[in-house]
Amino acid sequence: MTNALPIVDISAFLNNGSLEEKRKTAKSLHDACVQFGFLYLKGHGLSIEEMAEIRTLSKEFFDLPEEEKQAISISKNDLARGYQKLGQNITLYAQDWHEGVDLYAPVDDDHIIKKRGLKTLAGKNPQPPRPPNFSKIVDEYVLKMRKIGMATMSAMAMGLGLDERYFDKYMENSFWVMRLIGYPPLKKVDNVGISCGEHTDYGCLTILNTDETTGALQVLSKSGEWITADPIPGHFVINIGDMVNNWTNDLYKSTLHRVIHTKTNYRVSVPFFFEPNFDAVIEPLPICVEQTGGKPKYEPIMYGDHLLSKVTNNFDVSDGK
Ligand SMILES: N=C(N)NCCCC[C@H](N)C(=O)O
Ligand SMILES: O=C(O)CCC(=O)C(=O)O
Ligand SMILES: [Fe+2]
C-alpha cells in the first residue's frame, strides 16, 4: 500500500492563523498520531529547492574520499558526533547498510552533560572542510527545522487539549539531532539484509527529508502490515518518538519503521530529530492517562538518559579507528 498515511497542513501554526484554522490542524494532527504515528507535513514554508539543498550537501560529503570522511569519524570523537562509515551502525544487534553524519545540538561548558562528567555528546560537532559552507547550510537548516518542530508541538498540544504553549518549556533548549544518511543499494554480495533495522525514534518528532526513492522507508501499521511511506515532493514525513509516546501514555505510539533499499540508486535522507531539552523529565500527562485506562504506563524519565542508553549501543567500534 502506498501513501496511505495522512497529510497535515501546519501553516496555521507557523503563520499564526485563526483559532478555527488552528483547531482544524490540531484535530488532523491528533487523528494522524492516534492512527499511525506517521504522517506527511505540508504548509511548512520550505520550497522543493530548499528541501533539496541539505540532501545535495549530504551527497557531496558522501562522495568525498574515505580518508576525508574518516577525518570527522565518530570513532575519533566521542562516538556520537560525526561520520559513521558504511556498516558501522547497528540496530537490534544487526548491522545496518548506510553511512551517515550525526550532528547534535552544541553543548556549552555549564551544560548538564558536562556537569555530570559525561564525554559522549559533550562539546560541538566536528566540521568537515569540504563541502564548502557545510556548517552554514546545516545551521540554517536546523533553525528552520526547530521552527517547524515547535509549530508542530503547539498543534499537538492543542490536539491533546492542552495549552498551545504547553510543550515550549520542554523544547526551548531542544537537544536536537540531525543525521545525514547515505544508503547504497542492498546487494546480495554484501550479505546485509537491511538498510536500517526496525526501530522507534527516541525523542519527540522526526522531520524527515528524503529523496525521491520509493519503497525504501517502511512503517508498521496498527494491523501489523509494513506499509511504504513513499516521498511526496515538497512534503516532510513526520513521525513521533518515544518521549511523545510516554507523554501520551501510548495514545500516540512511536511507530516501528525500517529502511530496505533495493533499487539501484544511492539514496539520501536527512532526518531531523526534534527532541526535548537534555534534562527534560518526561512522564505521562494526566489528560492522556485519563483517556488510556487511568494508570500511567511509564515512570518519569530524563530524555538525556534515554538518549544515552540508545546512542552507546548503536555503533560498532571494533576497528578502533
Ligand atoms: N536518532 C535516532 N532516532 N536514530 C534512529 C536510527 C535507527 C537506530 C540506530 N541504530 C541509531 O543509530 O540510532
Ligand atoms: O532514511 C529514512 O527514511 C529513515 C531513517 C530513520 O528512520 C532514522 O534515521 O531514524
Ligand atoms: Fe527512525
Side-chain angles (χ1 to χ4, degrees):
M1 229 195 309
T2 301
N3 293 348
L5 301 172
I7 299 180
V8 173
D9 183 339
I10 196 64
S11 54
F13 280 87
L14 275 171
N15 308 325
N16 203 22
S18 68
L19 187 59
E20 196 190 336
E21 286 168 328
K22 283 184 173 175
R23 284 204 174 122
K24 211 171 133 216
T25 304
K27 166 92 173 73
S28 70
L29 179 67
H30 178 79
D31 292 346
C33 289
V34 170
Q35 271 192 300
F36 295 99
F38 254 89
L39 54 112
Y40 294 100
L41 197 77
K42 69 174 188 182
H44 48 68
L46 266 71
S47 66
I48 288 187
E49 294 72 30
E50 269 176 296
M51 288 180 72
E53 186 182 33
I54 193 80
R55 300 196 311 268
T56 305
L57 183 82
S58 308
K59 183 65 168 63
E60 283 167 7
F61 178 80
F62 295 129
D63 282 342
L64 293 172
E66 199 59 31
E67 319 80 75
E68 214 172 317
K69 295 190 278 186
Q70 287 292 350
I72 61 156
S73 168
I74 56 167
S75 309
K76 293 207 170 103
N77 198 26
D78 64 345
L79 294 179
R81 295 174 189 264
Y83 176 65
Q84 39 174 291
K85 68 180 181 186
L86 192 59
Q88 193 173 9
N89 199 300
I90 294 168
T91 306
L92 276 182
Y93 310 105
Q95 193 181 36
D96 290 330
W97 205 236
H98 57 74
E99 54 185 328
V101 179
D102 275 356
L103 304 161
Y104 291 82
V107 166
D108 356 302
D109 280 342
D110 59 354
H111 193 276
I112 180 166
I113 296 177
K114 291 208 168 162
K115 277 192 208 139
R116 288 171 50 180
L118 297 171
K119 187 169 172 287
T120 301
L121 296 181
K124 298 201 167 32
N125 297 314
Q127 294 191 17
R130 290 203 293 170
N133 291 334
F134 181 92
S135 300
K136 182 172 173 279
I137 293 173
V138 164
D139 290 351
E140 285 170 4
Y141 191 77
V142 167
L143 283 180
K144 294 175 197 166
M145 292 304 105
R146 290 181 70 169
K147 223 171 121 206
I148 295 170
M150 227 24 159
T152 309
M153 291 306 289
S154 299
M156 191 180 285
M158 192 184 270
L160 287 167
L162 299 161
D163 184 275
E164 227 187 284
R165 305 257 71 91
Y166 182 84
F167 293 119
D168 288 15
K169 58 183 177 299
Y170 295 96
M171 311 298 295
E172 62 198 1
N173 297 315
S174 168
F175 197 69
W176 55 264
V177 188
M178 176 155 141
R179 178 173 281 176
L180 319 178
I181 317 178
Y183 297 92
L186 291 166
K187 292 201 202 91
K188 283 238 158 51
V189 289
D190 293 319
N191 205 23
V192 180
I194 197 133
S195 309
C196 180
E198 64 182 74
H199 64 277
T200 58
D201 293 340
Y202 313 145
C204 287
L205 287 179
T206 303
I207 308 175
L208 178 71
N209 177 350
T210 78
D211 69 16
E212 65 291 342
T213 314
T214 56
L217 174 60
Q218 304 175 3
V219 177
L220 192 63
S221 71
K222 284 216 156 152
S223 55
E225 284 165 293
W226 288 100
I227 56 176
T228 52
D230 286 343
I232 308 180
H235 293 60
F236 288 99
V237 175
I238 301 266
N239 62 286
I240 58 164
D242 298 338
M243 295 301 101
V244 166
N245 189 113
N246 288 18
W247 256 330
T248 62
N249 211 35
D250 286 351
L251 187 62
Y252 297 177
K253 294 295 288 176
S254 50
T255 307
L256 279 169
H257 54 283
R258 66 183 184 193
V259 179
I260 301 180
H261 173 41
T262 52
K263 301 256 160 55
T264 51
N265 63 308
Y266 182 98
R267 176 177 186 261
V268 174
S269 81
V270 180
F272 179 86
F273 303 101
F274 187 53
E275 316 295 54
N277 309 341
F278 191 87
D279 58 354
V281 176
I282 312 294
E283 60 189 307
L285 296 159
I287 200 165
C288 297
V289 173
E290 265 170 45
Q291 296 170 62
T292 48
K295 287 205 183 70
K297 298 180 189 168
Y298 302 96
E299 294 291 321
I301 181 169
M302 190 176 95
Y303 169 67
D305 287 335
H306 180 63
L307 177 69
L308 279 165
S309 74
K310 298 282 187 175
V311 171
T312 47
N313 284 313
N314 269 340
F315 298 107
D316 175 5
V317 290
S318 53
D319 71 357
K321 262 197 279 170

